[in-house]
Amino acid sequence: MLLDALLLQLGYNATLVAIGAALLGTAAGITGTFLFLRKRALVSDAVSHATLPGVCIAFLLMAALGGDGRNLAGLLLGSAVSAGAGLWCMNWLTRNTRLAEDAAIGAVLSVFFGFGVVLLTVIQTLGIGRQAGLEGFLLGSTAGMLYSDALVIALGGAATLFLVLLTRRPMTLVAFDPEYSAARGLPVSKIDMLMMGLVMAVTVVGLKIVGLILIVALLIIPPVTARFWTERSEHVVLLAGLFGGLAAYSGAAVSASAPNLPTGPIIVLMSFVFFALSLFFAPNRGVLAAFLRHMRFQRRVHLRQGLLALAQGQAIYEALTLRLLRRAGLVRADGVATERGRARAAKALRDERRWEVVRSDMAHEATAALYDGLRDIETVLTQDQIAEIDRRIGGPQEVPA
């Protein structure tokens, strides 16, 4: 069943939902990247919650005019107007009052969402036509999605992607360094508004599939996931779009493969699956990679300390140190140093004395800052500098057998 869903073999409606969700996830991942890099992740939360009053007011207006109150295009238009109003209020509060941005976000989020819940309750009690299912905009609802609905979502996602491609360079520059961007003459405030506008567009488009409460996850989790895999901003953008699209597509497929599974929450859970896999298994920034680096560092420390103990004729009691020395062929099973081990120990002790000279000489102040007890001195000093230090400390010391 799941394989059929992934291969778009579960029927017309499931195919529409999967394709629309994939486009939405890609657009949300790419757009959310700039918000994530700008360190304004909570803005998407405020914008998404600000859409609810617009949905309710648009429904009331369309029903009062005798139309279909649940027409998706009309509801999305209303949510866009409401989200825009919320965005304007947040910016006005930040610029014209002493409120910090997080306080302004909290105020807009709570007031707009509270107003929307009140309107939603009023709609449910009025008994006007076709209000059933309107609460699906909170968590998303794809049951009975029409071709026109999927087309609106697909076109909205594609248009958002196109705008991001046109403006990705200035948005990336502003996201990383707004002061430098302003010095170069870029209109930072307008570019910030463009970012928020794109977030608003993705939020509005995603209401039908993910819902206004969960859309923030689709905007933020894919960029955070992508950040584990690369250090380059353009690669983060591409990977965020890929993870967002895959999470949305696979989530839609999973929800279609079993009855009564909500699409929006499943998409968010699939996003978390990709995040968790990246958190643990990313090659440079993942938990597993960090653990392996720590283990390698620990082995180097034990090996170094073991060599210094051999050089000074001290007994070694640490089991891990002995095991590493034996594995490297530096000591025999009885703990006595081999010929190769004595040579390595003499080199380690000599390097320690060389580093002592380096740290005491102001001429080598920059080099001394690199000392960590493990770095080979040949990697930071030339052979002539090492020879000069050796003349000062005398010949090598013999390591006892």
Side-chain angles (χ1 to χ4, degrees):
M1 193 73 169
L2 178 58
L3 182 61
D4 291 337
L6 290 172
L7 296 177
L8 304 178
Q9 301 297 315
L10 286 186
Y12 182 72
N13 186 67
T15 300
L16 282 179
V17 173
I19 294 175
L23 284 172
L24 171 66
T26 303
I30 291 176
T31 305
T33 301
F34 300 101
L35 208 60
F36 166 68
L37 295 176
R38 191 74 169 90
K39 297 180 175 60
R40 287 185 169 180
L42 282 178
V43 171
S44 59
D45 204 17
V47 171
S48 63
H49 282 74
T51 59
L52 185 56
V55 171
C56 297
I57 292 173
F59 175 85
L60 290 171
L61 288 176
M62 289 187 291
L65 294 175
D68 181 5
R70 293 195 304 177
N71 178 270
L72 183 61
L75 293 176
L76 294 186
L77 178 60
S79 65
V81 173
S82 178
L87 190 59
W88 181 85
C89 289
M90 187 182 66
N91 286 329
W92 187 89
L93 287 172
T94 303
R95 293 179 180 178
N96 296 281
T97 69
R98 302 184 67 176
L99 282 178
E101 187 176 53
D102 57 345
I105 289 173
V108 170
L109 184 154
S110 56
V111 171
F112 273 72
F113 188 65
F115 182 44
V117 171
V118 171
L119 290 177
L120 190 62
T121 305
V122 170
I123 290 172
Q124 297 296 330
T125 58
L126 287 178
I128 54 180
R130 302 198 68 186
Q131 80 271 28
L134 192 61
E135 66 277 2
F137 280 89
L138 293 176
L139 298 176
S141 175
T142 58
M145 181 180 287
L146 303 175
Y147 172 77
S148 58
D149 297 342
L151 188 62
V152 169
I153 294 171
L155 289 177
T160 303
L161 282 176
F162 179 71
L163 288 174
V164 169
L165 288 175
L166 287 180
T167 58
R168 66 188 186 281
R169 292 188 182 279
M171 285 198 301
T172 302
L173 192 59
V174 169
F176 275 106
D177 196 335
E179 289 79 12
Y180 175 70
S181 303
R184 290 193 58 181
L186 291 176
V188 174
S189 59
K190 292 182 179 179
I191 293 174
D192 268 337
M193 287 301 295
L194 174 62
M195 288 184 195
M196 305 310 165
L198 291 172
V199 169
M200 183 186 73
V202 170
T203 300
V204 169
V205 170
L207 288 178
K208 181 68 175 177
I209 293 180
V210 185
L212 63 91
I213 293 179
L214 298 178
I215 186 64
V216 63
L218 206 55
L219 282 163
I220 299 304
I221 295 180
V224 174
T225 303
R227 185 66 181 87
F228 282 109
W229 295 90
T230 181
E231 302 287 339
R232 298 178 62 87
S233 60
E234 62 269 25
H235 295 167
V236 173
V237 172
L238 293 175
L239 287 175
L242 176 63
F243 285 127
L246 287 176
Y249 181 81
S250 57
V254 170
S255 67
S257 64
N260 301 322
L261 282 181
T263 304
I266 294 296
I267 289 175
V268 173
L269 290 178
M270 292 304 299
S271 298
F272 174 75
V273 168
F274 287 117
F275 167 78
L277 291 174
S278 301
L279 173 65
F280 284 100
F281 299 113
N284 294 318
R285 299 168 65 90
V287 173
L288 180 60
F291 175 75
L292 293 176
R293 284 195 301 270
H294 173 73
M295 293 299 295
R296 287 194 295 268
F297 176 77
Q298 188 180 44
R299 286 195 295 269
R300 291 178 63 197
V301 170
H302 277 267
L303 195 59
R304 180 76 171 184
Q305 293 303 315
L307 289 172
L308 292 175
L310 289 177
Q312 296 167 359
Q314 299 173 354
I316 301 174
Y317 300 102
E318 177 63 44
L320 177 59
T321 304
L322 287 171
R323 187 165 62 251
L324 291 172
L325 290 171
R326 283 197 296 266
R327 189 181 302 168
L330 302 177
V331 298
R332 299 198 302 262
D334 58 1
V336 177
T338 63
E339 183 177 350
R340 179 165 170 260
R342 290 196 298 272
R344 287 278 301 274
K347 172 67 165 55
L349 183 60
R350 190 163 184 79
D351 281 350
E352 283 295 305
R353 292 176 176 172
R354 288 166 172 170
W355 278 115
E356 288 177 6
V357 173
V358 169
R359 295 199 302 272
S360 63
D361 190 344
M362 293 299 295
H364 296 297
E365 183 178 2
T367 303
L370 300 174
Y371 177 72
D372 58 2
L374 299 174
R375 184 187 296 268
D376 292 331
I377 198 168
E378 290 84 1
T379 62
V380 293
L381 292 179
T382 66
Q383 289 299 321
D384 292 340
Q385 290 173 318
I386 294 174
E388 174 61 30
I389 293 173
D390 286 346
R391 282 193 291 270
R392 295 170 61 180
I393 64 176
Q397 177 179 333
E398 183 177 352
V399 174

